[in-house]
Amino acid sequence: MTSKRSWPRRVLRVAGQVFVGVVVLVVVAVAVSAGVHRWHTPRDKAAVEQAIGSHHRYVDVDGRRMSVAVQGSGPRTIVLLPGLGTPEPILDLDPLARRLAEENTVVTVEYFGLGLSDGTDAPRTSAAIVDETRAALRGLGLNGPYVLMPHSISGLYATWWATHRPDEVAAVVGLDDERYTARAAQDSPDWPGWMSAVTAVGGIRDLIALDERTDYLGLVDDYRQSLGDADEYSREQQDLYLRSYAWVLNATMLDEAASEADNVRAVEGAVFPATMPVMSILASTSLEAEPEWEASHRAAISNPSIQQVVILDGHHYLFHAHAAAIAELAGRFLDDHVTAS
């Protein structure tokens, strides 16, 4: 006859076996995910390189590889600067870059931690990111002055560049780019360090695959909606862009995100030089989401005769659906205000 005292021991023993089994399953699942991620990532990156084509370059910056694309050979050099966490900027900005390259030299930059660029442990200050970008442009033999075309967070870097090294900037054409706002100047949320570890073992790849099937995160659906009706991106490009999320939540990008508030505060009160042409093309949805968005751009204007704000209906990634309209707006503005060198 089984003693009543043996029941607790049996329950504990079974619970221990279940716990060990769960741990083993988790370890096996993580190992499988990491193995799949390690196998797929270099192949995905090679596919991205092939999709970008012959205008892709790697430039040595501080002993690391920075990925860039150079299109066109016109007298003005336009530098396209990506938003925070854009997984594959060159593919993302390609429809706009192709149009601009018809009359200009266009360089699309992938900051360290984005796209096919290496990571870095250098601080993600505006000054550091601008200096790295300047070094990449010099490495390409392009000495400026440049037309900066920043998207989202890159507006902070472009503002810093234009106000600290104005001789290097011919004009700024912002694509719903960021300025100083009181809310953004608050401390950036702490991104947990383990997110880069999750990325390293393929966790983000798994989440994106789940999101494509179930809309669990809403990220894939938001991306598809941002494309609108414009037939600008092939299905292969879309798939490669989404697969690039598998490696973008790395330590370098997370450090850039954590540095955002400091970089916002660094441009508090900044206004563009009165002789510098500036056009800020803003997305209507951003104005709805951030009450300070339009006012912050108008506050940086010092000369309304050559500095202006334009609002387009659309998504924060407004160049997805409006590449043609943006290229036309920018082309007319630059023809009117920037003398080709």
Side-chain angles (χ1 to χ4, degrees), residues 272-317:
F272 290 103
T275 56
M276 184 177 294
V278 177
M279 180 168 65
S280 300
I281 306 173
L282 307 184
S284 59
T285 54
S286 295
L287 272 61
E288 296 168 4
E290 172 53 80
E292 294 181 73
W293 200 248
E294 181 178 356
S296 69
H297 289 77
R298 296 195 183 279
I301 290 175
S302 63
N303 183 356
S305 66
I306 60 170
Q307 298 171 358
Q308 59 186 265
V309 173
V310 177
I311 300 171
L312 292 183
D313 288 335
H315 191 278
H316 177 54
Y317 281 78

Side-chain angles (χ1 to χ4, degrees), residues 189-207:
D190 290 330
W191 291 72
W194 49 260
M195 288 185 70
S196 60
V198 170
T199 298
V201 298
I204 305 302
R205 182 183 294 278
D206 297 336
L207 281 174

Side-chain angles (χ1 to χ4, degrees), residues 135-149:
L137 293 169
R138 289 196 303 270
L140 294 168
L142 301 170
N143 297 312
Y146 313 108
V147 175
L148 305 181
M149 195 170 284

Side-chain angles (χ1 to χ4, degrees), residues 83-106:
L84 178 66
T86 300
E88 185 27 67
I90 293 174
L91 284 182
D92 199 37
L93 287 157
D94 182 63
L96 176 59
R98 281 189 282 105
R99 285 179 168 85
L100 294 171
E102 293 174 5
E103 297 182 358
N104 306 277
T105 299
V106 180

Side-chain angles (χ1 to χ4, degrees), residues 47-71:
V48 170
E49 286 183 322
Q50 185 174 6
I52 294 171
S54 59
H55 49 270
H56 183 236
R57 308 277 190 279
Y58 286 110
V59 187
D60 182 87
V61 177
D62 297 332
R64 297 175 176 85
R65 293 196 316 172
M66 181 172 284
S67 170
V68 302
V70 183
Q71 295 168 264

